[in-house]
């Protein structure tokens, strides 16, 4: 009986330990989505992350990258001639006709607001000649300009391909970069778009249910939806209140409602727990007798419940929340110590003074000699007179 009780207690202990580990890994939020990231839109601080660097399929969130690439690289007023390849695209479309001529900006609007797969391909072919070359250039742009390294896109619209992948963190960074562009931000926040095309004249409504009010959330400023069978439900959303702006990305949600519920949880968490502070220009931070300082006033994100700052030997200032998690990393400037050569200069100055003293003595002797000679010459002259 004692052995039986011991076994039961051991099993309970093992189960309890597993539950504790599971709870610890979930962090402060229980999300249904497989991947999620919440950023401070202004500072880029990572406020929450779940499977942030795990490769996942983005579906139509790909179009965020396509849009900002097109805005940065293209002429928004240029006229795009729609190809047969663009017209044949599956899924959501803006019903372009082959040979139809459409301004680039209008195609970007149709791609983001109505998730037009045909518009995305028309954009890609216009910018780079083919979808294949567009993918090469887009991936290079995402690495070199935006700075993400775990993303590889095959097409401009997010239709499924096993080699078309990204991560929640990369997509959050891409979205956060894109919303700094006023053209993108305007389109990203469009609720109703008047569309006039050869085959389709209508008012297009955003697919994002938080933005258009079906799943209302105060302060939402923009968003993009996505779905494929393999990617499942995906969502990118931005929001703001009086104190802070947030960017949220959720990937691989089973149900459509899940991605909206998870996004609301992320925003609630961000707005409730974080605020801004400023590191003052020139403020000194010391580590192992080394001094570091911000070169300019620097905006940082702090946890309302308590924040600590930890400085590394190389001048990286970690902003940590009350759980010890790094929220933001700020690189400070090293302050050079007073150089020792200044002391050498002082010694040189002393030497020069001594040299001056010697010169003054010599000059004095010369003057006295000239005076003696002058007096002697004068006496001779007087005697002659």
């Amino acid at each position: 009986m004692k052995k039986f009780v011991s076994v039961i207690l051991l099993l309970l202990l093992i189960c309890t330990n597993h539950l504790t580990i599971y709870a610890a890994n979930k962090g402060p939020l229980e999300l249904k989505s497989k991947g999620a990231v919440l950023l401070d839109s202004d500072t880029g601080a990572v406020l929450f992350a779940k499977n942030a660097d795990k490769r996942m399929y983005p579906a139509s969130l790909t179009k965020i990258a396509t849009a900002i690439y097109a805005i940065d690289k293209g002429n928004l007023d240029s006229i795009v001639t729609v190809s047969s390849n663009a017209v044949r695209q599956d899924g959501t479309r803006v019903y372009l006709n082959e040979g139809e001529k459409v301004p680039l900006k209008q195609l970007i609007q149709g791609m983001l607001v109505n998730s037009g797969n045909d518009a995305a391909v028309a954009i890609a072919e216009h910018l780079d000649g083919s979808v294949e070359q567009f993918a090469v250039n887009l991936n290079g742009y995402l690495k070199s300009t935006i700075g993400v390294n775990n993303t590889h896109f095959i097409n401009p619209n997010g239709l499924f391909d096993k080699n078309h992948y990204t991560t929640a963190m990369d997509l959050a960074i891409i979205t956060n970069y894109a919303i700094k562009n006023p053209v993108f931000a305007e389109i990203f926040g469009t609720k109703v778009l008047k569309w006039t095309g050869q085959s389709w004249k209508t008012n297009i409504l955003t697919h994002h249910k938080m933005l258009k009010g079906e799943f209302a959330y105060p302060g939402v400023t923009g968003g993009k939806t996505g779905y494929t069978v393999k990617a499942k439900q995906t969502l990118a959303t931005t929001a703001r209140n009086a104190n802070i702006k947030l960017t949220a990305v959720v990937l691989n949600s089973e149900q459509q409602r899940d991605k909206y519920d998870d996004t609301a949880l992320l925003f609630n968490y961000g707005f409730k727990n974080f605020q801004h502070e400023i590191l003052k220009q020139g403020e000194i931070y010391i580590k192992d007798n080394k001094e570091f300082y911000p070169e300019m006033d620097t905006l940082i994100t702090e946890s309302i419940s308590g924040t600590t700052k930890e400085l590394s030997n190389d001048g990286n200032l970690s902003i940590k929340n009350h759980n010890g998690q790094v929220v933001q990393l700020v690189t400070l400037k090293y302050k050079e110590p007073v150089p020792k050569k200044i002391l050498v200069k002082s010694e040189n100055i002393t030497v020069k003074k001594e040299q001056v003293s010697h010169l003054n003595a010599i000059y004095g002797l010369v003057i006295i000699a000239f005076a003696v000679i002058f007096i002697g010459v004068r006496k001779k002259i007087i005697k002659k007179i």
Side-chain angles (χ1 to χ4, degrees), residues 230-273:
K230 294 287 187 179
K232 300 182 181 178
Q233 297 286 343
T234 64
L235 193 69
T237 318
T238 55
R240 65 185 300 172
N241 66 8
N243 301 313
I244 196 169
K245 300 174 187 174
L246 300 175
T247 299
V249 167
V250 295
L251 299 178
N252 203 302
S253 306
E254 290 289 345
Q255 303 297 324
Q256 186 182 88
R257 183 65 195 237
D258 293 343
K259 66 184 180 185
Y260 290 105
D261 289 344
D262 285 351
T263 298
L265 285 173
L266 288 168
F267 285 153
N268 288 342
Y269 174 72
F271 288 135
K272 180 181 178 181
N273 291 286

Side-chain angles (χ1 to χ4, degrees), residues 38 48 72 94 106 165 173 198 252 307 326 343 352:
L38 178 69
F48 179 87
D72 274 357
V94 288
Q106 184 179 341
Y165 58 80
I173 292 171
Q198 284 186 358
N252 203 302
T307 295
V326 176
L343 298 176
K352 286 179 180 178

Side-chain angles (χ1 to χ4, degrees), residues 146-373:
I146 301 182
V148 297
N149 296 301
N150 295 313
T151 294
H152 184 261
F153 288 153
I154 297 295
N155 58 60
N157 48 32
L159 289 176
F160 177 74
D161 186 294
K162 66 179 181 179
N163 293 315
H164 186 99
Y165 58 80
T166 187
T167 66
M169 182 63 75
D170 275 13
L171 267 180
I173 292 171
I174 293 167
T175 303
N176 215 37
Y177 173 88
I179 61 173
K180 304 296 192 299
N181 183 289
V183 175
F184 179 93
E186 178 190 1
I187 301 172
F188 199 58
T190 298
K191 299 177 181 180
V192 181
L193 174 66
K194 185 177 181 180
W195 184 270
T196 301
Q198 284 186 358
S199 64
W200 202 35
K201 295 181 180 180
T202 187
N203 287 329
I204 296 172
L205 303 180
T206 178
H207 294 183
H208 197 295
K209 295 188 176 183
M210 278 181 160
L211 195 58
K212 65 182 178 181
E214 288 183 45
F215 295 153
Y217 190 95
V220 168
T221 56
K224 180 74 190 78
T225 63
Y227 173 79
T228 67
V229 173
K230 294 287 187 179
K232 300 182 181 178
Q233 297 286 343
T234 64
L235 193 69
T237 318
T238 55
R240 65 185 300 172
N241 66 8
N243 301 313
I244 196 169
K245 300 174 187 174
L246 300 175
T247 299
V249 167
V250 295
L251 299 178
N252 203 302
S253 306
E254 290 289 345
Q255 303 297 324
Q256 186 182 88
R257 183 65 195 237
D258 293 343
K259 66 184 180 185
Y260 290 105
D261 289 344
D262 285 351
T263 298
L265 285 173
L266 288 168
F267 285 153
N268 288 342
Y269 174 72
F271 288 135
K272 180 181 178 181
N273 291 286
F274 296 94
Q275 63 187 4
H276 283 153
E277 187 55 68
I278 296 177
L279 296 181
K280 296 294 185 181
Q281 180 183 13
E283 186 176 355
I284 298 298
Y285 294 82
I286 300 174
K287 176 71 173 181
D288 295 337
N289 295 321
K290 294 180 181 178
E291 294 185 352
F292 299 88
Y293 63 94
E295 292 188 85
M296 62 187 71
D297 286 353
T298 303
L299 191 69
I300 64 170
T301 309
E302 290 191 333
S303 172
I304 292 173
S305 58
T307 295
T308 58
K309 300 181 181 71
E310 184 176 304
L311 184 63
S312 67
N313 287 323
D314 55 359
N316 287 319
L317 187 67
S318 298
I319 315 299
K320 297 183 176 182
N321 62 20
H322 65 285
N323 292 323
Q325 297 168 322
V326 176
V327 173
Q328 188 177 354
L329 196 65
V330 180
T331 300
L332 303 182
K333 178 79 172 178
Y334 175 59
K335 184 178 181 182
E336 295 285 348
V338 177
K340 292 182 179 180
K341 63 182 180 180
I342 292 177
L343 298 176
V344 174
K345 285 183 180 179
S346 298
E347 293 170 2
N348 289 340
I349 291 169
T350 303
V351 171
K352 286 179 180 178
K353 286 181 178 178
E354 292 173 359
Q355 292 172 346
V356 169
S357 297
H358 291 311
L359 289 173
N360 287 338
I362 293 170
Y363 292 149
L365 291 172
V366 171
I367 292 170
I368 292 170
F370 276 115
V372 170
I373 294 170

